Amino acid sequence: MILTPTMTGISTPEPLKYAFTLKTSAHSGRSGSGPISVDQNKWQQWWSIESRSDTRALYIHIPFCRKRCSFCNFFENGAKPSRVTEYVNALCLQLADAAATPFITSKPFDTVYIGGGTPTDMQANEILQLANVIQSFPLKPNAEITLEGRLNGFTNDKFEAALAGGINRFSFGVQSVNTEVRQAAGRFDDEQTILQRLSELAQHPTATIVADLIFGLPGQTFDIWMHDVESIINTGIHGVDLYQLINLSGSRMDSADKKGKFTDRADSQARSVMYAQGAALLESSGWGRLSNCHWRSDKRERSLYNTLAKQGIEIVPFGAGAGGSIHGHGVMNGRDLSTWHDAIKAGVKVPGMAMSINENNHVDKVIKKGLDSGTLKLAELSMSLRVHLQPLFIKWQEHGLAVLEGEQLCLTLAGRFWSINMQTGLFEYLATNPLLAQAA
């Protein structure tokens, strides 16, 4: 068996800090053998075939932002109201047409995610318009429907419109509550405004309110980070993500680094301590961990979309720049707005990309689900695959990243921090050791 440090991590007295060098990606996985050609006839055929997936998600992309944050390299367009209105009108027509196809009607959806961009930059009537179209899709009882966005500009009218349309979960990119850190990152609003608004929204008796925090931002000291976490706890919201800052290629932060304009931010070792102490504060305050990066204070928070999306389920995407999967094929809609609008008007497939089917998806789903939650249930893997992976698991245990406990591989705190590196290493191991093709 070929084992390398990128797969196993290294032996160190402090695995939390030093098991791997750096986290360079937010996700890990493998796809099919490569892109495939999908013409209009094939695309139409896909929509006429019933789905065979028991677990499904709907992803709707709103590709507009009023301001680009320093750490972001995601697709965006300026949120000019007339452009947003034109887009929402076209998107709703496309959704209404798709809602009647055999592919959509054949199986209900567990969760819907309206992401971006900044979906909360839509007007209240546009949020309700979109939400009403979503209700024409087959949804499972108590389906989770999330609206993502900023607190800035998210008025009571928008909140009420979303609730009236059946949206029941709201995810806000807070990143930090500290005013100076927020300003440096290109965020709107000061600390008092952010915390007050979160507290107001959290008072709703049924809506789920969630916030994202990022550790390792420029100017964010350890004390500021712990104040971030404590302040979020005190707002009374129902869920929080703790995300590590990743210097994404194409971001303003990345451009500054390439020009030698380095900003003052925590290194990987300092970020590992920020993660550990942030997690400890949440859990000592009674928050339960749903995944390696997500905690909840109330059982109304289920984090269905984020949890299921990491497991390779069927995600049906709509909107310019939206990505997902259809009949096992990874798909990505083209990002150019003009081209997207032209395709919608012509009633043809939006140009984009499709991938071949990942034949190992049934295995990958089990692995990613387990490692993302912190506990891989070995009984869900075939015996031959378990034997094949055993050398890697033993090395993880030796390096303080996991513990083999009967039929489970449980990640340690260090393992939870480095879980994406471990997933990447596991898939590298499977690709490097050819026995996988026989074992899987």
Side-chain angles (χ1 to χ4, degrees), residues 150-151 154-156 158-160 163 170 172 194-210 235-238 300:
R150 300 180 193 263
L151 287 164
F154 188 64
T155 62
N156 286 336
K158 292 184 180 183
F159 189 39
E160 292 165 5
L163 293 169
F170 301 83
F172 297 105
I194 289 294
L195 295 178
Q196 181 177 336
R197 187 57 175 153
L198 281 175
S199 296
E200 291 171 354
L201 294 171
Q203 298 305 308
H204 192 275
T206 60
T208 303
I209 309 300
V210 181
T235 62
I237 65 169
H238 314 111
R300 76 175 76 175

Side-chain angles (χ1 to χ4, degrees), residues 63-310:
F64 301 96
C65 289
R66 282 181 289 145
K67 191 175 183 180
R68 185 173 183 177
C69 300
S70 64
F71 51 81
C72 181
N73 73 340
F74 298 155
F75 171 60
E76 63 174 9
N77 298 276
K80 184 179 179 181
S82 60
R83 298 177 75 195
V84 177
T85 297
E86 180 187 18
Y87 179 85
V88 172
N89 287 337
L91 179 63
C92 287
L93 288 175
Q94 184 192 34
L95 286 164
D97 288 342
T101 62
F103 174 60
I104 293 297
T105 60
S106 57
K107 293 289 182 68
F109 289 82
D110 299 73
T111 179
V112 181
Y113 198 92
I114 307 167
T118 311
T120 51
D121 280 346
M122 290 186 288
Q123 299 303 309
N125 64 303
E126 293 165 349
I127 293 174
L128 181 58
Q129 177 186 359
L130 178 58
N132 285 337
V133 176
I134 290 171
Q135 293 299 325
S136 67
F137 280 65
L139 305 175
K140 287 186 178 178
N142 199 29
E144 176 191 271
I145 306 176
T146 300
L147 179 70
E148 181 185 60
R150 300 180 193 263
L151 287 164
N152 181 271
F154 188 64
T155 62
N156 286 336
D157 285 348
K158 292 184 180 183
F159 189 39
E160 292 165 5
L163 293 169
I167 294 172
N168 51 29
R169 185 175 183 270
F170 301 83
S171 180
F172 297 105
V174 173
Q175 323 314 358
S176 173
V177 303
N178 181 272
T179 301
E180 288 72 25
V181 172
R182 291 178 57 77
Q183 289 175 343
R187 305 297 293 178
F188 294 107
D189 293 329
D190 60 17
E191 177 170 341
Q192 181 179 355
T193 302
I194 289 294
L195 295 178
Q196 181 177 336
R197 187 57 175 153
L198 281 175
S199 296
E200 291 171 354
L201 294 171
Q203 298 305 308
H204 192 275
T206 60
T208 303
I209 309 300
V210 181
D212 294 343
L213 292 178
I214 294 178
F215 54 95
L217 289 166
Q220 185 187 42
T221 65
F222 178 80
D223 287 342
I224 288 175
W225 166 246
M226 294 305 291
H227 176 70
D228 286 339
V229 179
E230 183 177 15
S231 298
I232 287 297
I233 291 171
N234 292 336
T235 62
I237 65 169
H238 314 111
V240 66
D241 287 288
L242 305 187
Y243 290 131
Q244 179 179 181
L245 177 70
I246 301 174
N247 192 13
L248 298 171
S249 177
S251 67
R252 289 195 290 113
M253 190 179 298
D254 179 58
S255 298
D257 279 355
K258 289 177 179 177
K259 294 176 182 178
K261 301 177 181 178
F262 296 103
T263 51
D264 179 25
R265 59 182 187 269
D267 60 17
S268 182
Q269 288 73 45
R271 293 198 298 271
S272 71
V273 177
M274 295 169 92
Y275 170 80
Q277 294 303 310
L281 179 55
L282 286 166
E283 290 166 20
S284 67
S285 301
W287 288 53
R289 181 171 57 84
L290 292 182
S291 73
N292 297 325
C293 65
H294 191 78
W295 287 259
R296 68 178 181 183
S297 64
D298 190 296
K299 289 186 178 180
R300 76 175 76 175
E301 163 59 347
R302 295 173 290 161
S303 192
L304 276 183
Y305 180 85
N306 288 333
T307 299
L308 294 174
K310 296 173 184 177

Side-chain angles (χ1 to χ4, degrees), residues 2-48:
I2 300 173
L3 289 167
T4 66
T6 58
M7 303 173 191
T8 66
I10 64 171
S11 178
T12 169
E14 296 186 83
L16 176 67
K17 292 182 177 180
Y18 301 109
F20 292 92
T21 304
L22 190 69
K23 179 181 178 181
T24 57
S25 174
H27 307 287
S28 176
R30 53 183 174 173
S31 57
S33 57
I36 61 172
S37 176
V38 181
D39 59 22
Q40 290 297 326
N41 289 335
K42 181 69 172 178
W43 182 249
Q44 295 300 331
Q45 182 184 13
W46 276 3
W47 289 84
S48 66

